[in-house]
Amino acid sequence: MEYLPRLLFAIALIIGIGYFARNVRKLIRNIKLGRDVEISDNKSQRWKNMTMIALGQSKMVKRPIAGILHIIVYVGFVVINIEVLEIIIDGLTGEHRIFSSAGEIYDILIGTFELLAFGVLVAVIIFWLRRNIIKLKRFLSSEMKGWPKSDGNIILYFEVVLMCLFLTMNGADLQLQLNGAEGYSTAGSFPISQWLLPIFDGLSNSTLIIIERAAWWMHILGILTFLNYLYFSKHLHILLAFPNTYYGKLTPKGQFENNEAVTKEVKMMMDPNVDPFAAPPEGAEVAVPAKFGASDVQDLSWHNLLNAYTCTECGRCTSECPANQTGKQLSPRKIMMDTRDRLEEVGKNIDANKGEFKDDGKQLLGDYITNEELWACTSCNACVEACPVSIDPLNIIMQMRQYLVMEQSAAPMELNNMMTNIENNGAPWPYNQMDRLNWKNE
Amino acid sequence: MSELLKVPTMAEFMAAGKQPEVLFWVGCAGSFDDRAKKITKAFVKLLNKANVEFAVLGTEESCTGDPAKRSGNEFLFQMQAVTNIEVMNAYEVKKIVTACPHCFNTIKNEYPELGGNYEVMHHTQFLKSLLSDGRLTIEGGQYKGKRITFHDPCYLGRANDVYEAPRDLIRKLDAELVEMKSCKSRGLCCGAGGAQMFKEPEKGSKDVNIERTEQALETKPQIIAAGCPFCNTMMTDGIKNKEKENDIEVMDIAELIANAEDL
C-alpha cells in the first residue's frame, strides 16, 4: 500500500520529465535547422552578460513596475524550486518534509517560500490586470490576438493555481501539526498559510490529510504539467533567456554583420587575375552559389532561431519601435513570433515526413512577414536596446531585406534610384562625384 | 568669407610629402545637401581655428555604402567599402573624423572586416578632444542660458554608445540642456535611418519625424541640437510642419560652437 503512491509518483515524474526532454531535443533540432555561425569568442564577457542580464535581470528594471513585479515572480520561481526538490525526494522515498531535520534553517526556508509565494500571487494578479483590465497598449497589438493572448493568461492562471495549492498544502499541514496528527511533526514556519487556519480549524484529521495530500499531489503534477507546457508557450524564456543572453551580440549595435558570401563575390570582381569566364576544373564539385539573405527560417542563423524561441512576447521592442509608434505595420515582436511560428511549422513538417523537410510551398517571407513590414524599419536599434533578453529582431529584418534586394530586386523604386546613384556617381543623390568639393567655394 | 576656408586634400598633402593629422570624411550629405554643407563649413572653420592639420578626400571620396547596406544591397555596400578602403589605405590614413554618424558607424565598425582599420571619431568627440587639449576654447556667447534639447542620432547613440560628447559641448556653451522624454539609449529615431531618407514612409498614422518633433517641442526648446545631417533635415522638416521655424532653430553642434565663436 505504501509503495503505490511512491510508484505512481515515480511514473508521473518519468512521464513528465521524459516528455519534456523529448520536446527539448526537438527544440534543439529545430534551432539547428538554422545556418551555422560560430559564436565562441569572449567567453568571459558572455558569462558576465548572462549573469547580469538573465540572472541579474538588469534590463528588466528599465521599466520599473513590470521589472520589479517580474523580479518577484522570478525569484519566487527560482527559490520555490528548492521546495520542489524536497517534494520530489519525499515523493520517491515516502518521507514527509525530509528537509525538516535542518531545524531552524528549514523554518526560515519554508517561511521564505511562503512570503515569496504570496508575492508571486500579488504580482501575477497585477500582471493579469495589466493584460486584461488596464489593457496596456503593448499587449493589444494585432499579433497578440488569439493564442498569444490566451497563452499569456494561461501562464498566469497556472501560477495562481500553483501558489494557492502550495499555500493550501502548508496550511493543512500546519493544522495537522497543531492537532498533533501522526506523521506531521512540528516543522517549518508558515507566515502566510497560518491565515488559512480558520478554514481548517474543526476539520477532522482525516479530512485534513486528504486536503494536504491532494494539494501536494496537484502541486507537483501542476509543476510537471507547466514544465511541459513551456515548449508550446512563449514561456520558454525562463530557460532560453540564459543561453540567449550568453550568445547575445557583443559588437556595437551599429555594426551589422558582414555577408561573407558577398565578400567572396566582391573580391573576385576586384581581382584582376580572375577569369570571369573560367569553367570549373574537370571533376571539381560545382559549388551551388549561396543564397543571398534570408527568405525562410533555414536561411537565418541558429542564433536568430534561438532568439525566436526565447521571445516571451513582452512587446517592449514593439513599443519602442518608431515605425510601430507611428502606425506602420512593422512590429519587431511580430518578426520574432513569425519566425518561431514558421520554424515550428517546418519542424512539424520534418516530423511528419520522417525527418526530411518536404517543400510546403510556404516561406517566412510573404507567408508570414510582408515586404511592407520589412521596408518600414529605420534600423534604429530601439528594439534591440529594449529587449530584456538580448534578442535582435533587426538582424532578421536586414537578412530579409538582403534577400529582397539581391535575389529578387524587389526594393521600393526610390531605393533603387538611390542605389543606382551610388553605383553611378558615388552618392545617393544624382550629383557628380567630381563636384564633391564644390562646397568649399560656395 | 569662403576664401578664408582652408580645405586641403589628401592628394595635396601627398604631393607635399606630408601626412595630415586627421582625414575629415565629409560624406555625401555634407558635400551635396545645401543644409548639411553649412555644417561642413562650420566644422571646417573650427578645424582651421584650432589649427588642425586636416585633409579631405575631395573628389576621391565616395558614399560609404551605409544606405545600400541598410537597404539590403550588401553587394553595392561592399563594392563601395572596398573602393574607399583602397583609396584610404593608399594614403595611409590612420585617423578619420566625420560629422555624419552613418559614415562614422560604417567606417568605424564595418570597414575593418573588409580591410579598413582606422581610428574614427564623430565630430563632437573630436571637438571635445580639441577642447580638453586646450586647442579650442568655447565661450557661451549668444547661446548662454538658451534652452537647447539634443536629439540623439541612432547611429551615434544606441549604435555606438556615444551620448556624452555632444552634451558636454552644449554644456560648454553655458546653455540650458533640456532632455526629451526619450533620450540617450531610448532616444526616438528621426525617421531617416535604414535608408528611409531616400524613400517615402510606409503607410501609417504619422511620420516618425513629426512624432520626434513633438517630443522635442514638449521641452519648449529655443534650439534643437543635432549631430547628424539626416536628423537635421528630418527635424527641420518637423519644425516647419509645426510652423515653428521662426521660433525654433535646428542646429548642428558644430554650428552652435562656430556661431558662439563668431566664426
Side-chain angles (χ1 to χ4, degrees), chain B residues 51-99:
Chain B
N51 290 318
V52 176
E53 286 227 308
F54 75 98
V56 297
L57 282 170
T59 56
E60 290 183 280
E61 190 186 278
S62 186
C63 174
T64 59
D66 161 85
K69 185 170 176 99
R70 268 81 196 157
S71 303
N73 197 338
E74 180 78 7
F75 198 83
L76 178 56
F77 160 71
Q78 291 198 15
M79 293 293 284
Q80 288 297 118
V82 169
T83 313
N84 283 324
I85 289 167
E86 239 172 46
V87 171
M88 289 196 286
N89 285 356
Y91 282 123
E92 294 176 13
V93 169
K94 301 271 179 309
K95 190 172 175 180
I96 300 171
V97 62
T98 176

Side-chain angles (χ1 to χ4, degrees), chain A residues 26 37 48 60 99 124 132 139 168 179 181 196 226 242 264 281 286 291 358 387 420:
Chain A
K26 209 178 268 182
V37 284
K48 205 175 131 198
M60 279 306 295
F99 292 167
V124 164
N132 299 283
F139 298 125
T168 308
N179 293 357
L196 299 175
F226 194 45
F242 293 89
K264 233 189 277 169
V286 183
K291 182 180 187 177
K358 245 192 183 160
C387 182
T420 310

Side-chain angles (χ1 to χ4, degrees), chain A residues 7-159:
Chain A
L7 185 68
L8 288 176
F9 186 85
I11 292 171
L13 205 61
I14 289 167
I15 294 175
I17 293 174
Y19 188 60
F20 178 67
R22 179 176 162 271
N23 281 332
V24 167
R25 273 205 301 276
K26 209 178 268 182
L27 182 89
I28 293 170
R29 180 205 66 191
N30 286 356
I31 289 173
K32 283 186 172 165
L33 292 175
R35 183 167 45 82
D36 194 24
V37 284
E38 168 126 355
I39 307 178
S40 56
D41 56 329
N42 290 304
K43 289 205 168 61
S44 66
Q45 183 60 42
R46 293 184 179 283
W47 282 109
K48 205 175 131 198
N49 284 356
M50 189 177 91
T51 312
M52 291 294 293
I53 302 170
L55 200 65
Q57 309 258 303
S58 60
K59 293 194 97 175
M60 279 306 295
V61 287
K62 292 260 163 101
R63 297 198 181 187
I65 298 175
I68 289 164
L69 291 171
H70 184 269
I71 287 179
I72 294 172
V73 176
Y74 159 75
V75 173
F77 168 80
V78 172
V79 174
I80 295 172
N81 272 329
I82 302 173
E83 172 68 13
V84 176
L85 184 66
E86 185 187 39
I87 290 178
I88 290 173
I89 297 173
D90 283 354
L92 291 173
T93 59
E95 294 287 329
H96 183 68
R97 294 190 180 265
I98 192 157
F99 292 167
S100 61
S101 55
E104 212 169 288
I105 296 173
Y106 189 74
D107 293 351
I108 295 169
L109 268 181
I110 297 292
T112 314
F113 297 159
E114 288 224 333
L115 291 173
L116 282 170
F118 183 70
V120 170
L121 262 183
V122 172
V124 164
I125 289 167
I126 298 173
F127 281 152
W128 187 87
L129 290 172
R130 282 159 62 88
R131 277 176 185 267
N132 299 283
I133 307 293
I134 305 171
K135 293 189 190 273
L136 289 190
K137 194 168 164 259
R138 68 184 155 113
F139 298 125
L140 293 180
S141 323
S142 57
E143 72 263 23
M144 295 308 286
K145 295 210 170 77
W147 168 246
K149 180 170 196 252
S150 319
D151 187 19
N153 282 330
I154 290 169
I155 292 159
L156 298 177
Y157 300 144
F158 251 118
E159 283 169 17

Side-chain angles (χ1 to χ4, degrees), chain A residues 135-369:
Chain A
K135 293 189 190 273
L136 289 190
K137 194 168 164 259
R138 68 184 155 113
F139 298 125
L140 293 180
S141 323
S142 57
E143 72 263 23
M144 295 308 286
K145 295 210 170 77
W147 168 246
K149 180 170 196 252
S150 319
D151 187 19
N153 282 330
I154 290 169
I155 292 159
L156 298 177
Y157 300 144
F158 251 118
E159 283 169 17
V160 168
V161 170
L162 287 177
M163 291 306 112
C164 287
L165 287 169
F166 176 69
L167 292 171
T168 308
M169 173 186 95
N170 277 355
D173 198 304
L174 176 59
Q175 185 67 53
L176 285 162
Q177 289 180 22
L178 294 173
N179 293 357
E182 195 192 334
Y184 290 91
S185 51
T186 309
S189 68
F190 303 92
I192 302 298
S193 61
Q194 61 174 329
W195 300 100
L196 299 175
L197 286 182
I199 306 172
F200 299 125
D201 198 17
L203 295 179
S204 69
N205 278 2
S206 55
T207 313
L208 283 170
I209 288 174
I210 291 172
I211 294 173
E212 193 271 334
R213 284 291 88 190
W216 186 92
W217 273 98
M218 291 200 298
H219 181 63
I220 187 66
L221 292 177
I223 285 172
L224 287 173
T225 312
F226 194 45
L227 180 72
N228 281 287
Y229 180 73
L230 293 183
Y231 176 72
F232 305 96
S233 158
K234 74 189 187 80
H235 214 53
L236 263 178
H237 81 290
I238 62 173
L239 304 173
L240 296 185
F242 293 89
N244 203 67
T245 47
Y246 178 86
Y247 289 115
K249 181 174 178 174
L250 299 182
T251 47
K253 288 195 188 67
Q255 180 178 337
F256 291 11
E257 278 172 345
N258 191 57
N259 188 323
E260 295 294 337
V262 172
T263 309
K264 233 189 277 169
E265 302 279 325
V266 169
K267 281 203 176 128
M268 215 146 72
M269 276 190 69
M270 307 292 276
D271 184 354
N273 299 320
V274 166
D275 174 7
F277 305 109
E282 198 78 24
E285 254 182 72
V286 183
V288 182
K291 182 180 187 177
F292 295 126
S295 64
D296 209 349
V297 286
Q298 295 96 326
D299 307 325
L300 296 170
S301 72
W302 65 263
H303 184 226
N304 297 135
L305 303 183
L306 173 65
N307 274 191
Y309 270 123
T310 306
C311 176
T312 195
E313 300 163 16
C314 73
R316 291 184 185 205
C317 52
T318 293
S319 76
E320 297 282 328
C321 172
N324 193 275
Q325 281 180 26
T326 54
K328 276 79 172 176
Q329 277 191 12
L330 174 63
S331 160
R333 168 173 57 189
K334 179 176 173 293
I335 300 286
M336 301 317 300
M337 292 167 69
D338 285 344
T339 304
R340 176 174 175 175
D341 288 348
R342 172 61 183 158
L343 180 56
E344 284 287 307
E345 187 176 54
V346 169
K348 282 183 190 144
N349 180 312
I350 291 173
D351 290 336
N353 295 300
K354 302 187 184 91
E356 284 277 330
F357 177 68
K358 245 192 183 160
D359 190 9
D360 57 359
K362 287 208 233 168
Q363 58 174 8
L364 183 60
L365 180 69
D367 296 301
Y368 288 83
I369 299 172

Side-chain angles (χ1 to χ4, degrees), chain B residues 232-250:
Chain B
N232 196 310
T233 303
M234 298 306 265
M235 298 306 282
T236 305
D237 287 351
I239 290 296
K240 279 185 194 148
N241 179 281
K242 297 282 170 191
E243 295 177 354
K244 294 273 185 201
E245 66 266 37
N246 295 325
D247 312 323
I248 300 171
E249 282 181 293
V250 180

Side-chain angles (χ1 to χ4, degrees), chain B residues 33 35 190-192 196-201 207-214 217 224 226 228-245 248-251:
Chain B
D33 181 89
R35 177 68 189 82
C190 70
Q196 299 291 344
M197 181 73 193
F198 307 101
K199 64 184 261 297
E200 286 302 311
D207 283 343
V208 177
N209 67 324
I210 303 298
E211 176 75 18
R212 186 54 168 168
T213 303
E214 286 168 1
L217 292 179
I224 298 172
C228 167
F230 299 108
C231 297
N232 196 310
T233 303
M234 298 306 265
M235 298 306 282
T236 305
D237 287 351
I239 290 296
K240 279 185 194 148
N241 179 281
K242 297 282 170 191
E243 295 177 354
K244 294 273 185 201
E245 66 266 37
I248 300 171
E249 282 181 293
V250 180
M251 302 276 278

